């Protein structure tokens, strides 16, 4: 499932969506916030251009929203099932911290043209 050359491999490793070899971002680590989301102009391996028309990556916002809702629901259901008497603020604080921690990774994922 995560074999090199597959779409999922390229998405999770931030590789070129066409050749699955070259890098997609200037910096692969989404937690290097100064360069987070900076996309190379072209693939260093196959030379295919990454820059699309203005607004091409705006659709990624919907993917980010969906991922955030999925995390929210997963934590909510898990906490409700495992600890039914847990105070509400603990669940909300956990979700907030988790979503803030995952935000750079979600942002990078949604910049990827195969996802957004
Ligand atoms: Zn490429």
């Amino acid at each position: 499932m995560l074999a090199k050359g597959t779409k999922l491999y390229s998405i999770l490793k931030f590789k070129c969506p066409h050749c699955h070899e070259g890098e997609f971002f200037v910096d692969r680590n989404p937690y290097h916030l100064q360069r987070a989301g900076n996309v190379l102009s072209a693939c260093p391996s196959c030379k295919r251009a990454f820059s699309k028309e203005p607004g091409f990556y705006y659709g990624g916002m919907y993917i980010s929203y969906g991922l955030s809702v999925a995390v929210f629901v997963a934590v909510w259901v898990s906490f409700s099932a495992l600890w039914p008497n847990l105070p509400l603020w603990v669940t909300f604080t956990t979700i907030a911290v988790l979503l803030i921690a995952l935000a750079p990774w979600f942002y990078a994922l949604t910049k990827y043209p195969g996802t957004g």
Side-chain angles (χ1 to χ4, degrees):
M1 187 166 139
L2 249 182
K4 191 172 183 178
T6 62
K7 190 84 169 174
L8 187 59
Y9 172 87
S10 296
I11 290 170
L12 295 177
K13 298 287 185 176
F14 302 128
K15 296 292 184 182
C16 170
H18 305 288
C19 70
H20 310 288
E21 290 288 332
E23 296 295 329
F24 182 72
F25 289 107
V26 173
D27 188 341
R28 282 182 59 197
N29 188 341
Y31 291 92
H32 292 164
L33 299 178
Q34 294 232 330
R35 295 191 289 185
N38 291 351
V39 177
L40 292 169
S41 59
C43 175
S45 182
C46 69
K47 311 296 182 210
R48 190 136 180 190
F50 290 146
S51 55
K52 305 284 184 180
E53 69 275 4
F56 177 78
Y57 296 106
Y58 288 166
M61 289 187 298
Y62 299 107
I63 303 299
S64 178
Y65 174 73
L67 289 170
S68 299
V69 169
V71 167
F72 184 97
V73 170
V75 171
W76 185 275
V77 168
S78 301
F79 278 30
S80 297
L82 295 173
W83 304 287
N85 296 325
L86 199 66
L88 195 59
W89 70 267
V90 174
T91 306
F92 275 121
T93 303
T94 304
I95 291 170
V97 168
L98 199 57
L99 288 178
I100 290 170
L102 289 172
W105 190 58
F106 284 174
Y107 178 69
L109 277 177
T110 56
K111 274 288 242 193
Y112 194 80
T115 59

